[in-house]
Amino acid sequence: RITGWLDHLRGSPSAPFIILGGYIVGSLVLVPITLMILATAFAFGPLAGSAYSLVGCLLAAVITYAVGRILGRDKVRRLAGSRLDRVKRRLADHGFVTMLTVRVVPIAPYTVVNIVAGAFHIRFRDFIFGTILGMAPGILAITVFERQLEVAIREPGAGSLGLLAAVVAAIVFIVIMFRKRLGDNEEVVDYRLSDS
């Protein structure tokens, strides 16, 4: 049923609007961004899926950043509690580098980071460029993983399963290296761990 719906969606001229609208609605109701990227890759393949995912993530980020701006610091502080001050301080102190870091090494759900960035007036330019550069590698990794998973399911065998294992190992290795590198250079990870 899902495959049939996705096949119908692929052929529809309104597909881009439906997908991008899905990212906006999904972010407002706190659907994990990774699930939305996986669904998009499944529906549209690696190239179109990556493009739709990046644009969808950006639209969702801008909308939820605006929600944070509208709500303001006091309301967001009341909703988020004491952990917020550390996140806010870190975002405000380092702008672009920190936005890039929190996209690669998430300290909170995607939507929450966007709302906090808006509420505490993180420079919009830093927010957007940090989001683009921080999200693009992850989107690419997720779409490559999804494509190889699909191949392994449709054509199970030693070759396809071995390639899937290699893709997973490469993604895990890259994520660990990014986290270590960014964790060493930025203290974002430190307060995330200290609160957990």
Side-chain angles (χ1 to χ4, degrees):
R1 194 175 294 168
I2 292 169
T3 305
W5 183 79
L6 290 173
D7 285 339
H8 175 72
L9 180 63
R10 267 186 222 115
S12 169
S14 60
F17 304 105
I18 293 170
I19 289 298
L20 298 178
Y23 273 85
I24 293 168
V25 172
S27 70
L28 291 171
V29 296
L30 297 174
V31 173
I33 199 76
T34 305
L35 290 180
M36 291 191 280
I37 295 167
L38 271 170
T40 306
F42 181 73
F44 296 99
L47 292 178
S50 293
Y52 283 140
S53 292
L54 186 57
V55 174
C57 287
L58 282 174
L59 280 175
V62 168
I63 296 292
T64 48
Y65 178 92
V67 167
R69 276 281 170 114
I70 291 165
L71 287 175
R73 296 175 188 215
D74 293 336
K75 282 188 182 169
V76 171
R77 186 178 282 123
R78 278 198 301 271
L79 291 171
S82 62
R83 291 183 75 183
L84 177 70
D85 285 332
R86 290 189 199 130
V87 176
K88 184 268 306 178
R89 215 175 303 123
R90 198 62 187 160
L91 288 174
D93 287 347
H94 297 285
F96 168 75
V97 172
T98 302
M99 281 311 307
L100 175 66
T101 304
V102 299
R103 294 308 188 198
V104 176
V105 185
I107 60 170
Y110 187 75
T111 299
V112 172
V113 170
N114 300 336
I115 290 172
V116 170
F120 288 89
H121 301 278
I122 305 309
R123 275 189 305 194
F124 189 69
R125 183 189 65 207
D126 293 340
F127 175 77
I128 287 297
F129 285 121
T131 296
I132 292 170
L133 293 177
M135 292 297 295
I139 288 170
L140 185 60
I142 291 167
T143 54
V144 167
F145 166 75
E146 187 285 327
R147 183 54 52 197
Q148 192 52 47
L149 178 63
E150 213 175 311
V151 168
I153 290 170
R154 290 182 186 191
E155 301 168 19
S160 61
L161 292 173
L163 194 51
L164 177 61
V167 167
V168 170
I171 290 170
V172 168
F173 176 76
I174 290 167
V175 167
I176 290 170
M177 293 311 294
F178 260 116
R179 288 185 178 210
K180 181 173 175 21
R181 200 83 151 136
L182 291 172
D184 289 346
N185 294 333
E186 293 291 318
E187 293 165 356
V188 173
V189 179
D190 293 343
Y191 66 78
R192 181 185 64 158
L193 294 174
S194 70
D195 278 350
S196 55

